[in-house]
Amino acid sequence: MKSLILTSLYLAKDTIHRWFSRVSSPLARVLVVYFLGLCALCSLGSYALATKIVRDKIISRGGDLVLVTMVPSRASDCAHLPTAAELEELLDIETYALSSAGSARLQNGQHASVYTFDFDRMGQYLPHMAASGGPTLLQSPDGTLPPGPADVEFMGEQCTVFVRNLPENHLLMRLIHSRGIIVQADSLPDKHARHSFVRLVARVRHLENTESILRVERYFKNLIRLEQANGNVISASRLLEELDTVLSKQNLCRMAFCLGISCIVGILLTALAGMEYRQNEYIYTLMKSFGIHPIMLVGAFIVENIIIVGASFAAAVVTFMHFQKIIVSQLLKLGNYSLSLEEILPEIHIISITLGVCILISSIPIIIAAHRDIGRVLK
């Protein structure tokens, strides 16, 4: 154990001595790995950032939503849906569901659809309704009616509703569009609920890939079929599938780019390692004759390259993360966007793996030289 420690210390001291006596050797490795790593992060980061921008735009335009319409096959039937809690537990989605109950004429001459909701969803809708729980007209912020009481004509009778504004990006606005009147079902005749169709909007909470939304789409299609109802399910699954196809093709480009970088780094490390070993081959051969195993000599060069390459690439990562906004906006021309460390982590893994392979390949000449016959070197 003592000899192992002393040998390791000697090899470490020898490595540090070589660094200071021939600064160009470690400096060349540092600069090449640093700048190639930074270029690789910029290139691969642009792929990741472009993917993020496209995915965010798709989601902002409803790419994470599923719209469901169910119409009973017979007039005497009612369309049934699972509760919001059941759907959330089963599919991890946020849902709003409304039953159509006709339309009403507003005081300004426009029309608004009238909707009811199931009793189990009352907790969802009461916060958006009038304080008394009475009929409420929900509209977008740019609606024509001012918030407060308003007169409408519904089913040939005049009634008063309370007008409230909803944010434009609220999930409920996907169902009622620009405006809609929400009424508790028990305040309407049964026939209006019985003849109505049901519309549901679902938002996938964690849209990780296309399968996340396809799973929800398949569930509601099967539900419509089992309920023997008519209806349809609308989602952006095809658009997301096309995006995944494009990304899979980009993966080939990313791997080819990393392969090119690994070739450059591998050639440099191999050449420098072989040259430095040949310059100290006599000393290392003497150490072998004293009983030092060749694996320790090879391991010293591998550890040396791991330290240099690892530190250089770490510096490239820190530089990219610190100046990424300048790189993205000025160099890549992708606007005022940025990537978190978690988002760029797959690219860091790819580059790290290729650099690790380069280190292992560069040790092959050292392995061959370390196993040369002692007599042929010392003669």
Side-chain angles (χ1 to χ4, degrees):
M1 178 60 70
K2 184 177 180 180
S3 61
L4 178 63
I5 296 175
L6 292 175
T7 304
S8 300
L9 290 175
Y10 175 80
L11 292 174
K13 181 181 178 181
D14 178 72
T15 301
I16 295 174
H17 175 73
R18 283 191 290 104
W19 287 357
F20 284 99
S21 60
R22 290 187 294 272
V23 180
S24 59
S25 176
L27 185 62
R29 284 176 280 181
V30 168
L31 293 178
V32 169
V33 174
Y34 175 78
F35 284 108
L36 286 181
L38 186 59
C39 291
L41 286 173
C42 291
S43 178
L44 299 183
S46 66
Y47 284 120
L49 193 59
T51 303
K52 177 184 177 181
I53 294 172
V54 173
R55 190 175 291 275
D56 288 347
K57 287 185 176 180
I58 291 175
I59 291 176
S60 66
R61 288 165 173 76
D64 58 342
L65 301 182
V66 177
L67 297 174
V68 182
T69 303
M70 288 183 63
V71 183
S73 57
R74 293 178 297 180
S76 59
D77 293 338
C78 291
H80 297 285
L81 286 171
T83 65
E86 291 172 342
L87 291 173
E88 181 178 5
E89 181 180 359
L90 182 63
L91 301 172
D92 192 23
I93 56 177
E94 178 188 3
T95 60
Y96 280 91
L98 291 171
S99 300
S100 176
S103 63
R105 183 181 177 87
L106 307 182
Q107 59 188 16
N108 58 4
Q110 296 180 339
H111 289 79
S113 298
V114 180
Y115 301 99
T116 64
F117 51 87
D118 292 338
F119 177 79
D120 61 83
R121 291 182 177 267
M122 186 172 294
Q124 278 186 300
Y125 292 100
L126 283 182
H128 305 302
M129 299 180 68
S132 62
T136 306
L137 190 149
L138 301 176
Q139 63 176 7
S140 58
D142 57 352
T144 56
L145 295 178
D151 294 329
V152 300
E153 181 182 344
F154 177 59
M155 295 166 44
E157 298 180 359
Q158 293 289 331
C159 61
T160 301
V161 299
F162 193 85
V163 180
R164 278 192 170 179
N165 292 340
L166 278 181
E168 195 68 39
N169 60 348
H170 197 280
L171 184 58
L172 189 53
M173 294 299 294
R174 299 287 182 170
L175 285 182
I176 64 176
H177 302 296
S178 59
R179 69 181 68 88
I181 298 176
I182 309 298
V183 184
Q184 295 191 39
D186 57 5
S187 63
L188 293 176
D190 292 341
K191 62 179 182 178
H192 289 278
R194 188 176 297 115
H195 289 276
S196 65
F197 61 88
V198 176
R199 297 190 69 212
L200 177 141
V201 60
R203 171 177 287 151
V204 180
R205 294 186 182 276
H206 303 96
L207 186 61
E208 298 177 355
N209 47 45
T210 309
E211 182 59 29
S212 301
I213 202 165
L214 282 175
R215 184 167 61 98
V216 179
E217 186 178 338
R218 287 194 298 266
Y219 175 86
F220 285 110
K221 285 182 178 180
N222 292 333
L223 181 64
I224 292 173
R225 187 177 67 254
L226 292 174
E227 288 287 334
Q228 297 181 349
N230 300 316
N232 56 52
V233 180
I234 302 173
S235 71
S237 57
R238 290 189 177 181
L239 182 61
L240 293 174
E241 285 178 339
E242 292 178 1
L243 177 62
D244 288 344
T245 302
V246 173
L247 292 179
S248 64
K249 294 180 180 179
Q250 285 186 353
N251 287 335
L252 298 176
C253 298
R254 294 162 64 193
M255 295 305 298
F257 187 81
C258 289
L259 182 62
I261 290 178
S262 64
C263 289
I264 297 174
V265 176
I267 292 172
L268 174 69
L269 295 180
T270 302
L272 291 177
M275 179 182 65
E276 291 185 353
Y277 188 89
R278 284 193 298 271
Q279 290 177 344
N280 297 275
E281 187 177 19
Y282 189 83
I283 297 175
Y284 293 145
T285 304
L286 285 176
M287 295 177 65
K288 285 168 54 180
S289 66
F290 295 150
I292 303 301
H293 200 282
I295 292 180
M296 291 197 64
L297 302 177
V298 176
F301 279 91
I302 293 178
V303 171
E304 176 186 355
N305 282 331
I306 289 176
I307 294 174
I308 292 177
V309 173
S312 303
F313 182 61
V317 173
V318 172
T319 303
F320 176 80
M321 295 303 297
H322 185 72
F323 295 102
Q324 63 168 314
K325 286 190 176 181
I326 299 176
I327 295 173
V328 169
S329 60
Q330 301 299 324
L331 183 62
L332 303 179
K333 305 296 182 182
L334 292 176
N336 190 22
Y337 292 92
S338 62
L339 291 170
S340 65
L341 183 61
E342 184 180 359
E343 291 170 333
I344 198 66
L345 202 58
E347 280 65 32
I348 295 177
H349 286 162
I350 292 175
I351 301 174
S352 299
I353 292 172
T354 56
L355 291 177
V357 173
C358 289
I359 293 174
L360 294 178
I361 293 176
S362 66
S363 65
I364 295 177
I366 307 299
I367 295 174
I368 296 174
H371 285 82
R372 290 182 60 186
D373 185 70
I374 296 176
R376 297 182 59 183
V377 178
L378 299 180
K379 65 180 181 178

